[in-house]
């Protein structure tokens, strides 16, 4: 159980492992979907090709879009692409890296569907049965061209009266399935060779640039996650303070009412101002979230995060490593600060 | 540190067993794929041999390349091969060992496919049905009377029971039994040969260069673990960087807002009750950064990791980069010199 937990943590540790997991899951779902789908060729001259090709190409498109949706990094990439530069320069190489990794993972499920469909053969037989050359098969010598076309259109349907138990149908069906499987295996071979070459030859080109891009794309992803977590934390604190404030104000209002009612019968007493609950909570709250305590300020914080991300230089932007606020020099306005970058 | 050790143990203990596990899964997948695959002999004279050869050879190639692609060590091998020597010499024996061990594991699934295909017999039957000795197995007297193309067309349909029409020449069952028997004999011979080869390689190897083999094995494991740990450390660093960056962003926002409230109550707040300069959490994060606090330095670190890997010798104190950043080696205790000043 412990090892399972460690394994789970290991796969959760980097965003790449999570994405690989999602990709594999989607591929498994595709296999299940294909095997449970009830293929139903119309066996009519013009509709066959439409149905066959539609079934070969439409589900992969849908699966591709699902793959993009399921991948968190696609949103992160688009955000990184569209954000204003602000204090942090944008690196097109990192965006390209993220884009290519998202696309690669999203393409896995559609390719699984297409390959399964081709290796199974039903789609191909349905789509191209009318396009077979009758000369190849001797059994069509005695039929007129229109009869041949009708026959060929019905080849995918084994149970149809016209073609049931016909050796010609079986021959054509066999031929098409064999062609479909050959195409399927060829595509698989080509893809796997391309993947293998890409994996082997990548270190031969720009390995240092690749390492940098991988690091910074991982960083962007982590930063987004951590920012969301920090915002959640802040929202919780905000809500906590808000609610306590409300109760405290309700309490003081009731006391004030109670005192006024008794004012006629009693000497006015100095109303006790209850200890603000914040004083008790102050130690527990994150101190750096203290000042952000209104809707406008939160909105301002969030829009600043979007329009002007802080530079990737902790020493220059901090000033807090060594001492408290009182020791800080007055802050330079963000727009004039230049970020330090050295391109290696 | 404890978590790091757990991860390290996990990676080390499972490095071999992980790859063995993948290898076993692929072998099972190969057998399963064969049984799920619908073999579909075209039963046409020119196409039979091509189809069968394709089914016998293309999937094993795909499985072999897939086995290599799924093995992370392929890119590690390519990296190690292409990197500049820097301060660490490259050992070709280690590279050879890595390649051999990867290739051996990747060969298992293809061997299983070929063995299962031969033992099943359909592929062999499809390929060689036109080469059956009709004169021996069937009605030998009728065979010479047939033109060769007609004979070929007839015999090509042997694998397809529903369209075979040559019972007058050669009983289909006879031909099928004959070819399946040869196929199974070949299959078992193949299995025996590969097992014998594997056994010989495994038992005879310790007789040759065992010491060199142990060294290559150690350093190949070392390179693999080092790369994984480097990736882990980079991810940890990125996480700490992001945390500190976001923290500083919020603190900067906090500071801005407090300056804005200069006439408000918050201005009276003593500095000590504002952001605590160093909390325990901030200290930990700072340590995790290991002094790398900006984008330029991180990029230099990643470049230097590829271009100039550190030597395999621990305990170095010399700075590796001009700005004084040193690898995590232990520092020698400084000699303290006491100077006595006489007051006389």
């Amino acid at each position: 159980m412990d090892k399972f937990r460690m394994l789970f943590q290991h796969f959760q540790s980097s965003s790449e492992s999570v994405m690989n997991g999602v990709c594999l899951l989607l591929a498994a779902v595709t296999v299940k979907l294909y095997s449970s789908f009830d293929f139903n060729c119309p066996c009519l001259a013009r509709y066959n090709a439409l149905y066959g090709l539609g079934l070969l190409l439409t589900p992969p498109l849908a699966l591709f879009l699902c793959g993009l949706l399921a991948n968190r990094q696609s949103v992160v990439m688009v955000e990184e692409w569209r954000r204003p530069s602000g204090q942090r320069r944008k690196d097109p190489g990192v965006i390209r890296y993220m884009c290519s990794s998202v696309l690669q993972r999203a393409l896995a499920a559609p390719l699984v569907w297409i390959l399964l469909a081709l290796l199974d053969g039903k789609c191909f037989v349905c789509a191209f049965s009318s396009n077979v050359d009758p000369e190849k098969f001797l059994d069509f010598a005695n039929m007129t061209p229109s009869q041949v076309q009708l026959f060929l259109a019905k080849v995918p349907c084994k149970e149809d009266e016209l073609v049931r138990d016909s050796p010609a149908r079986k021959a054509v069906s066999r031929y098409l399935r064999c062609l479909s499987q050959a195409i399927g295996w060829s595509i698989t071979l080509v893809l796997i060779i391309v993947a293998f070459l890409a994996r082997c030859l990548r270190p031969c080109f720009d390995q240092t640039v690749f390492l940098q891009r991988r690091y910074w794309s991982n960083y962007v992803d982590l930063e987004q996650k951590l920012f969301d977590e920090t915002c959640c934390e802040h929202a919780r604190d905000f809500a906590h303070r808000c609610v306590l404030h409300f109760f405290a104000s309700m309490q003081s209002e009731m006391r004030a009412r109670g005192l006024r009612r008794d004012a006629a019968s009693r000497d006015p007493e100095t109303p006790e101002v209850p200890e603000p609950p914040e004083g008790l909570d102050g130690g527990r709250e994150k101190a750096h979230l203290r000042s952000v305590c209104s809707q406008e300020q939160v909105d301002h914080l969030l829009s600043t995060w979007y329009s002007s991300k802080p530079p990737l230089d902790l020493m220059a932007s901090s000033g807090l490593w060594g001492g408290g606020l009182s020791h800080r020099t007055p802050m330079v306005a963000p727009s004039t600060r230049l970020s330090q970058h050295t391109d290696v | 540190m404890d978590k790091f050790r757990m991860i390290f143990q996990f990676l080390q203990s499972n490095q071999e067993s992980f790859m063995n596990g993948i290898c076993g899964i692929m072998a099972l997948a190969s057998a399963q794929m064969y049984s799920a695959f619908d073999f579909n002999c075209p039963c046409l004279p020119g196409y039979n041999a091509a189809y069968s050869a394709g089914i016998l050879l293309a999937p094993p190639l795909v499985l072999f390349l897939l086995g290599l692609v799924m093995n992370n060590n392929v890119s590690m091998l390519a990296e190690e091969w292409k990197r500049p020597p820097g301060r660490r010499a490259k050992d070709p024996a280690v590279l050879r060992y890595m390649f051999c061990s990867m290739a051996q594991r990747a060969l298992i699934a293809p061997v299983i496919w070929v063995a299962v295909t031969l033992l099943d017999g359909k592929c062999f039957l499809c390929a060689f049905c036109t080469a059956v000795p009709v004169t021996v197995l069937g009605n030998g007297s009728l065979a010479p009377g047939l033109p060769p193309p007609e004979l070929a067309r007839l015999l090509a349909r042997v694998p397809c029971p529903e369209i075979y029409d040559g019972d007058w020449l050669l009983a289909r069952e006879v031909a099928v039994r004959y070819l399946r028997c040869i196929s199974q004999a070949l299959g078992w011979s193949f299995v025996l040969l590969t097992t014998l080869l594997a056994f010989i390689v495994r038992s005879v190897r310790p007789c040759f260069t065992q010491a060199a083999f142990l060294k290559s094995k150690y350093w190949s494991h070392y390179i693999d673990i080092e790369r994984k740990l480097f990736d882990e450390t980079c991810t940890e660093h990125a996480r700490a960087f992001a945390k500190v960056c976001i923290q500083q962003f919020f603190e900067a926002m906090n500071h801005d807002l407090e300056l804005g409230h200069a006439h408000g109550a918050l201005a009276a707040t003593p500095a000590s009750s504002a952001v605590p300069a160093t909390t325990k959490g901030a200290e930990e994060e700072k340590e995790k950064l290991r002094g790398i606090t900006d984008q330029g330095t991180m990029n230099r670190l990643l470049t230097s990791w590829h271009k100039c890997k550190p030597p395999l010798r621990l305990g170095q104190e010399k700075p590796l980069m001009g700005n004084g950043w040193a690898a995590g080696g232990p520092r020698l205790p400084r000699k303290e010199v006491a100077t006595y000043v006489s007051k006389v």
Side-chain angles (χ1 to χ4, degrees):
Chain A
M1 199 56 217
D2 198 33
K3 220 170 195 184
F4 202 66
R5 190 173 43 90
M6 259 169 37
L7 185 74
F8 193 65
Q9 274 176 357
H10 173 70
F11 278 119
Q12 286 259 308
S13 65
S14 97
S15 57
E16 276 192 6
S17 312
V18 172
M19 289 194 302
N20 286 344
V22 168
C23 175
L24 281 173
L25 198 65
L26 210 55
V29 164
T30 309
V31 172
K32 185 73 189 138
L33 205 64
Y34 185 83
S35 58
S36 54
F37 179 73
D38 192 14
F39 189 84
N40 193 36
C41 194
C43 292
L44 297 166
R46 267 181 287 272
Y47 294 89
N48 275 3
L50 207 61
Y51 185 84
L53 288 176
L55 214 60
L56 191 63
L57 300 174
T58 317
L61 190 62
L63 288 166
F64 178 70
L65 294 173
C66 276
L68 288 179
L69 281 171
N71 196 345
R72 235 190 102 260
Q73 218 187 32
S74 52
V75 175
V76 172
M77 175 200 76
V78 173
E79 279 180 23
E80 177 67 15
W81 182 35
R82 298 308 299 168
R83 69 168 172 94
S85 304
Q87 300 182 51
R88 187 190 293 180
R89 204 174 50 98
K90 287 197 282 195
D91 185 358
V94 169
I95 297 173
R96 272 200 304 270
Y97 175 87
M98 286 165 75
C99 185
S100 85
S101 93
V102 161
L103 281 177
Q104 277 169 28
R105 286 180 175 91
L107 278 174
L111 285 173
V112 167
W113 177 281
I114 291 178
L115 290 172
L116 274 180
L118 286 174
L119 291 176
D120 188 29
K122 290 193 286 241
C123 276
F124 198 86
V125 172
C126 185
F128 295 105
S129 65
S130 307
N131 301 6
V132 167
D133 181 14
E135 311 286 312
K136 281 201 175 71
F137 306 93
L138 296 175
D139 320 78
F140 294 119
N142 306 332
M143 295 159 80
T144 64
S146 62
Q147 277 179 329
V148 166
Q149 280 308 310
L150 187 64
F151 187 91
L152 287 176
K154 297 223 182 260
V155 158
C157 299
K158 291 186 207 158
E159 298 308 317
D160 194 87
E161 284 165 10
L162 186 64
V163 297
R164 198 183 300 165
D165 299 328
S166 158
R169 182 203 74 81
K170 287 172 188 156
V172 172
S173 170
R174 254 179 200 282
Y175 169 73
L176 285 171
R177 281 192 75 192
C178 149
L179 204 57
S180 166
Q181 285 176 351
I183 293 176
W185 279 116
S186 312
I187 292 180
T188 315
L189 197 59
V190 164
L191 284 174
I192 202 86
I193 288 178
V194 164
F196 175 71
L197 286 176
R199 209 145 183 195
C200 277
L201 296 180
R202 206 221 324 111
C204 304
F205 304 96
D206 280 345
Q207 178 67 359
T208 53
V209 171
F210 169 76
L211 285 175
Q212 288 169 11
R213 285 180 186 164
R214 193 170 66 159
Y215 178 87
W216 290 113
S217 86
N218 197 22
Y219 172 82
V220 164
D221 192 45
L222 281 170
E223 192 188 48
Q224 184 62 25
K225 253 191 272 195
L226 285 170
F227 184 75
D228 289 341
E229 276 172 27
T230 313
C231 282
C232 273
E233 242 176 61
H234 183 268
R236 184 188 299 272
D237 279 337
F238 199 164
H240 192 217
R241 279 191 291 169
C242 225
V243 167
L244 289 176
H245 232 295
F246 174 74
F247 274 86
S249 66
M250 200 45 55
Q251 195 179 26
S252 58
E253 198 184 304
M254 278 168 51
R255 276 213 194 125
R257 266 205 228 133
L259 285 171
R260 249 183 269 131
R261 222 180 28 234
D262 296 337
S265 50
R266 211 182 299 172
D267 294 332
E269 296 171 17
T270 330
E272 289 174 25
V273 179
E275 183 80 16
E278 283 159 328
L280 294 170
D281 287 342
R284 280 210 308 272
E285 282 175 19
K286 295 274 179 305
H288 61 270
L289 301 170
R290 225 167 207 274
S291 288
V292 185
C293 52
S294 79
Q295 186 179 17
E296 293 78 29
Q297 287 167 354
V298 171
D299 289 344
H300 173 64
L301 184 142
L302 292 171
S303 64
T304 311
W305 178 257
Y306 171 71
S307 61
S308 176
K309 277 201 164 63
L312 293 167
D313 190 341
L314 302 175
M315 285 313 196
S317 62
S318 73
L320 287 174
W321 288 111
L325 265 184
S326 53
H327 298 130
R328 276 181 65 178
T329 50
M331 217 166 93
V332 180
S335 55
T336 61
R337 188 183 299 155
L338 295 171
S339 57
Q340 304 166 25
H341 294 285
T342 358
D343 262 327
V344 185
Chain B
M1 216 41 225
D2 195 31
K3 191 174 123 184
F4 220 91
R5 194 161 34 89
M6 256 173 36
I7 291 177
F8 178 77
Q9 275 173 357
F10 168 75
L11 289 173
Q12 189 174 39
S13 69
N14 276 36
Q15 186 213 358
E16 291 270 316
S17 56
F18 181 71
M19 276 323 297
N20 287 343
I22 292 280
C23 183
I25 287 174
M26 280 198 55
L28 284 175
S30 162
Q32 181 60 27
M33 234 168 70
Y34 183 82
S35 59
F37 177 68
D38 194 8
F39 189 86
N40 190 44
C41 195
C43 294
L44 293 167
Y47 294 83
N48 276 6
Y51 183 82
S52 311
I55 294 296
L56 190 64
L57 299 174
L61 190 59
V62 165
L63 288 167
F64 177 69
L65 291 176
L66 194 65
L68 287 182
V69 163
M70 282 182 48
N71 193 344
N72 283 332
N73 290 356
V74 160
S75 51
M76 188 185 75
L77 175 65
E79 273 176 42
E80 181 64 18
W81 184 35
K82 291 309 278 179
R83 72 169 171 93
R87 299 173 63 177
R88 187 190 289 184
K90 289 197 279 196
D91 187 358
V94 171
L95 295 173
R96 273 199 304 270
Y97 172 84
M98 277 163 48
F99 178 73
C100 285
S101 90
M102 278 187 327
Q104 279 170 23
R105 285 191 175 85
L107 274 174
I108 292 183
V111 161
I112 300 254
W113 176 278
V114 170
V116 170
T117 308
L118 287 174
L119 290 175
D120 188 34
K122 286 194 288 240
C123 192
F124 195 85
L125 173 65
C126 187
F128 292 102
C129 52
T130 46
V132 165
V134 179
T135 44
V136 173
L137 295 175
N139 280 336
S141 51
L142 296 170
L146 278 175
E150 182 60 27
L151 185 67
R153 191 195 65 83
L154 211 66
L155 289 177
R157 291 187 169 190
V158 163
C160 307
E162 63 269 14
I163 59 176
Y164 183 63
D165 52 0
D167 273 317
W168 53 273
L169 181 65
L170 172 67
R172 188 185 162 266
E173 276 305 315
V174 170
V176 165
R177 261 207 305 272
Y178 175 75
L179 288 170
R180 281 196 75 188
C181 158
I182 295 180
S183 171
Q184 284 179 353
L186 276 176
W188 281 117
S189 313
F190 178 74
V191 167
L192 191 62
L193 202 66
T194 42
T195 332
L196 205 62
L197 201 65
F199 173 73
I200 289 175
V201 164
R202 207 150 177 179
S203 7
V204 164
R205 206 225 328 106
C207 306
F208 302 95
T209 63
Q210 178 67 356
F213 172 76
L214 286 175
K215 280 194 314 204
S216 306
K217 193 160 86 147
Y218 178 87
W219 289 114
S220 123
H221 287 179
Y222 172 83
I223 291 171
D224 185 41
I225 291 175
E226 189 190 53
R227 192 179 80 131
K228 282 193 190 111
L229 283 176
F230 182 76
D231 288 342
E232 287 280 333
T233 312
C234 279
T235 306
E236 218 182 81
H237 184 271
R239 194 185 300 268
F241 201 115
K243 259 197 196 147
V244 174
C245 202
I246 290 171
Q247 207 172 2
Q248 285 179 355
F249 177 77
F250 274 84
E251 283 162 1
M253 198 55 47
N254 192 39
H255 182 76
D256 273 353
L257 292 166
E258 282 183 353
L259 280 184
H261 289 135
H263 297 294
L266 287 169
T269 318
S272 56
S273 75
V275 181
T278 47
T279 57
K280 187 169 181 296
E283 272 300 310
E284 269 177 34
E285 297 301 332
K286 193 174 160 185
E287 264 176 38
K288 280 188 193 161
L289 286 174
R290 294 175 172 83
I292 317 281
T293 52
D294 72 285
Q295 189 178 26
T297 314
M298 190 64 209
N299 285 344
R300 273 205 299 282
L301 183 148
L302 292 168
T303 307
S304 152
W305 178 254
H306 173 68
K307 290 217 164 110
C308 181
K309 275 204 166 58
L312 293 168
R313 190 181 314 123
L314 302 175
Q316 291 269 51
E317 322 94 55
K318 280 182 272 191
L320 291 173
M321 293 186 346
N323 62 359
W325 175 79
R331 284 193 207 143
L332 287 180
R334 295 200 184 157
K335 274 173 110 178
E336 311 251 61
V337 177
T339 315
Y340 293 95
V341 179
S342 158
K343 279 197 172 168
V344 171

